[in-house]
Amino acid sequence: MTTFVQQLVNGISLGSIYALIALGYTMVYGVIKLINFAHGDVFMVGAFVAYFAYTGLHLGFIGSLIVSMAACALLGVLIERFAYRPLRQSTRIAALITAIGVSLFLENAGIIAVGAQARGYPDMLPGSPFQVGGVTISTKQVEIILLAVLLMVLLQFIVHRTKIGKAMRAVAFDQDAARMMGIDVDRTISYTFAIGSALAAAAGVVYGAYYSAVDPLMGIMPGLKAFIAAVVGGIGIIPGAMVGGLVLGLIETAVQSFGFSLWRDAAAFALLILILLVKPEGLFGRHAREKV
Amino acid sequence: MLRIRDLHVYYGVIHALKGVSLEVERGEIVTLIGANGAGKTTLLRTISGLVPPRSGEIEFEGRSIFRTPARDIVRLGVSQVPEGRRVFATMSVQENLELGAFLRRDKSGVAEDLEKVYTRFPRLRERRRQLAGTLSGGEQQMLAIGRALMARPRLLLLDEPSMGLSPILVQEIFRIIREINEAGTTILLVEQNAHMALSVSHRAYVLETGRITLSGPSSELAKSEEVKKAYLGG
Ligand SMILES: Nc1ncnc2c1ncn2[C@@H]1O[C@H](COP(=O)(O)OP(=O)(O)O)[C@@H](O)[C@H]1O
Ligand SMILES: [Mg+2]
């Protein structure tokens, strides 16, 4: 029982990291139908920005988190502006290849800037483990979950209650009709990249703090997993990304806790294949036009 | 109010509009009739800034809107009800209407206009929390019209508003178009239903494969042999 609760908390915290990354994939896909393969690398950059803000500028956890989210928001906007926007009218495969190019660029730029070696990450999330009814729970995990919930609530608020959020949904559904409303489509796409990248940055920071190590290639696997989570939930659908992330985190943790650690990644890909076979539109996918 | 001179529009190598000239005066209902593929939608989309024209002039209230960004054209007072309605199906009726007022900053004016739209279309008020995609075709058309009105346009462009509707709903849509015009909005109406369009409008143009071939008061065009033969079924 106690291990079950512990594993549950592990699964939810890992899942909420996947969910935060998956949201960026799904939002960007929702508005421009592009799988932004550089998204996992934005997550990596986010982890490093917070690393330097924390160790170099001594900004503390919250300060480093905010600096990292802001920097990655800007990075996301720049990536869209200079790599994807010029290809907006081109084929999807051209944009996809460009996304892979941006991904490789960020990874190699990272290796040049900070070296390929993994480095220890500061213990940013403070607090010691505590006991609830005989179950030991790490404060870090609770903090990760709370942060993820907070950011998701904030995201829901932005998407449903603010003008920019309504513009994002309108552009995702029908760009042309959105233009007829007077919506600035380019600006809306920029905002989408900014928000998605900021969420990835937050995920990068807590990932670094949780696993205590970062390196320039750290974004590849979580990026892939988050992409799977987005597809499992239904690509383009925000609640789908949240649930997909959680499901994936729980499944991976379960596989691991049954002693099959080596099968963890395989389980994620098995889930992807299963979903693509059984319900290719994803758990939350209803009809083809349901987006963002 | 709207003045178009020698407008040319291309889609790649397809020459869709071949020197169209057309005018709409304040307070009028002007209708544009023409067969499928004549270029009617292209003309409306060009006016709204959604298709870039190659050459020519487009003026709205004395100001050039040639290659002006779509949002500036909305801001100047030109709204469009697009072909096929294109409501935001995954958003509620009320959210659709609010999007129509996207560029407006006058909250009280927007609230007032929302009330006006609901008064004009009581069905939309009943269904304001419902997703637009769940509405019937006629209701979606009313939503598309209401959404365009939320921008408080001085010129309203309507692209085949009667398409796919039952005869009773067609009557109702045309009655609404006349009411909107009587309340002070100038209208440029594109229709394949030439009978109804000519009966509500003041003046009309006939567009054939990218060229205006006939124009004049609607009552006269309705009597012209060419129009009767081509668009009124004999
Ligand atoms: N996006 C487009 N790309 C290429 N050709 C187009 C496009 N839209 C319309 N056309 C062509 O332009 C011509 C005019 O089309 P359209 O303006 O839709 O006519 P209408 O509204 O009168 O039926 C047609 O020959 C059509 O095939
Ligand atoms: Mg048309």
Side-chain angles (χ1 to χ4, degrees):
Chain A
M1 180 61 207
T2 55
T3 44
F4 175 76
V5 174
Q6 267 158 0
Q7 294 300 342
L8 194 64
V9 174
N10 287 344
I12 294 173
S13 60
L14 178 62
S16 45
I17 291 174
Y18 288 154
L20 284 177
I21 314 173
L23 283 167
Y25 272 114
T26 229
M27 289 167 65
V28 163
Y29 185 85
V31 294
I32 57 171
K33 304 291 161 296
L34 168 74
I35 304 295
N36 177 17
F37 273 114
H39 192 58
D41 304 295
V42 173
F43 157 91
M44 173 275 291
V45 172
F48 273 98
V49 170
Y51 173 91
F52 290 113
Y54 191 87
T55 58
L57 304 174
H58 309 292
L59 293 180
F61 172 65
I62 301 285
S64 304
L65 177 72
I66 290 172
V67 167
S68 161
M69 289 176 73
C72 286
L74 182 65
L75 176 64
V77 169
L78 292 176
I79 290 173
E80 189 276 327
R81 178 68 191 79
F82 293 106
Y84 303 151
R85 191 175 300 179
L87 292 168
R88 192 96 45 83
Q89 311 303 326
S90 320
T91 58
R92 283 169 79 168
I93 192 76
L96 205 63
I97 290 167
T98 306
I100 294 169
V102 173
S103 169
L104 292 172
F105 171 80
L106 289 176
E107 287 162 15
N108 288 289
I111 290 173
I112 292 167
V114 300
Q117 288 295 324
R119 60 176 79 200
Y121 209 73
D123 191 13
M124 284 189 201
L125 291 166
S128 45
F130 61 96
Q131 303 263 330
V132 182
V135 182
T136 311
I137 293 173
S138 127
T139 325
K140 282 187 188 176
Q141 287 173 320
V142 176
E143 284 164 346
I144 290 173
I145 295 167
L146 286 180
L147 178 67
V149 169
L150 177 78
L151 289 175
M152 288 181 203
V153 169
L154 192 64
L155 178 68
Q156 284 297 330
F157 176 81
I158 292 174
V159 168
H160 289 279
R161 295 274 173 268
T162 68
K163 249 184 153 164
I164 189 68
K166 286 179 186 183
M168 280 165 47
R169 286 153 69 210
V171 169
F173 187 75
D174 185 339
Q175 272 199 25
D176 241 30
R179 262 194 200 98
M180 286 184 206
M181 304 298 106
I183 292 171
D184 185 337
V185 170
D186 284 341
R187 223 181 92 189
T188 305
I189 292 172
S190 291
Y191 271 107
T192 308
F193 271 86
I195 294 171
S197 303
L199 293 175
V205 178
V206 294
Y207 189 90
Y210 188 53
Y211 290 101
S212 311
V214 288
D215 71 88
L217 302 184
M218 67 180 271
I220 297 174
M221 230 353 150
L224 215 48
K225 299 287 180 61
F227 169 66
I228 293 174
V231 173
V232 166
I235 189 93
I237 303 165
I238 286 178
M242 297 178 185
V243 172
L246 280 180
V247 167
L248 193 60
L250 287 169
I251 288 179
E252 284 195 358
T253 309
V255 169
Q256 198 164 16
S257 72
F258 289 131
F260 302 104
S261 314
L262 293 174
W263 290 90
R264 213 181 101 164
D265 295 342
F269 292 104
L271 177 66
L272 176 66
I273 292 166
L274 186 71
I275 275 285
L276 291 178
L277 287 175
V278 179
K279 202 167 186 298
E281 71 278 22
L283 295 176
F284 281 57
R286 281 185 287 269
H287 36 86
R289 298 224 69 174
E290 174 78 13
K291 286 170 231 141
V292 167
Chain B
M1 177 175 235
L2 179 73
R3 195 175 303 270
I4 296 174
R5 285 272 164 271
D6 197 24
L7 186 68
H8 288 265
V9 175
Y10 288 77
Y11 294 106
V13 294
I14 300 170
H15 196 176
L17 295 183
K18 305 165 185 164
V20 169
S21 296
L22 167 153
E23 275 172 36
V24 180
E25 299 301 334
R26 183 181 309 279
E28 279 190 311
I29 300 182
V30 171
T31 189
L32 181 67
I33 57 180
N36 227 336
K40 306 180 297 296
T41 298
T42 301
L43 180 61
L44 292 198
R45 289 172 58 80
T46 307
I47 297 169
S48 281
L50 300 164
V51 175
R54 177 76 54 93
S55 64
E57 288 168 32
I58 313 174
E59 265 181 23
F60 177 66
E61 295 184 328
R63 189 195 302 237
S64 171
I65 54 167
F66 187 83
R67 293 199 187 146
T68 300
R71 59 184 177 283
D72 292 336
I73 292 172
V74 175
R75 203 175 271 129
L76 285 171
V78 182
S79 286
Q80 176 163 175
V81 179
E83 183 174 338
R85 339 192 195 297
R86 296 176 84 158
V87 298
F88 298 105
T90 52
M91 300 172 84
S92 73
V93 166
Q94 179 133 341
E95 282 178 321
N96 268 268
L97 294 173
E98 285 164 358
L99 278 170
F102 189 79
L103 291 173
R104 292 176 60 182
R105 299 266 173 267
D106 55 322
K107 277 209 167 108
S108 61
V110 172
E112 215 173 86
D113 286 355
L114 188 65
E115 192 51 37
K116 271 192 205 160
V117 168
Y118 282 147
T119 308
R120 196 186 293 283
F121 304 110
R123 305 277 292 185
L124 296 185
R125 191 196 300 273
E126 285 164 30
R127 297 172 196 289
R128 67 182 183 277
R129 301 265 159 254
Q130 227 167 291
L131 293 186
T134 65
L135 301 182
S136 71
E139 288 162 352
Q140 287 193 14
Q141 188 58 258
M142 290 173 193
L143 179 57
I145 294 174
R147 185 179 67 175
L149 289 176
M150 288 301 293
R152 214 178 253 194
R154 289 192 295 285
L155 174 64
L156 183 63
L157 311 174
L158 290 148
D159 197 346
E160 305 209 25
S162 74
M163 189 166 58
L165 300 185
S166 70
I168 294 173
L169 277 170
V170 172
Q171 293 278 349
E172 176 150 0
I173 291 287
F174 278 96
R175 178 181 59 73
I176 288 161
I177 291 170
R178 197 175 299 151
E179 278 176 16
I180 291 170
N181 177 250
E182 279 160 8
T185 307
T186 307
I187 289 175
L188 175 56
L189 169 69
V190 158
E191 264 299 338
Q192 289 205 37
N193 190 335
H195 250 300
M196 291 297 290
L198 290 173
S199 74
V200 300
S201 59
H202 305 101
R203 286 187 310 114
Y205 291 83
V206 175
L207 189 66
E208 275 176 35
T209 56
R211 285 196 180 85
I212 300 283
T213 52
L214 273 176
S215 65
S218 301
S219 52
E220 279 176 29
L221 280 197
K223 281 182 256 163
S224 115
E225 284 307 318
E226 290 157 272
V227 171
K228 272 190 195 162
K229 225 190 299 172
Y231 304 105
L232 300 174

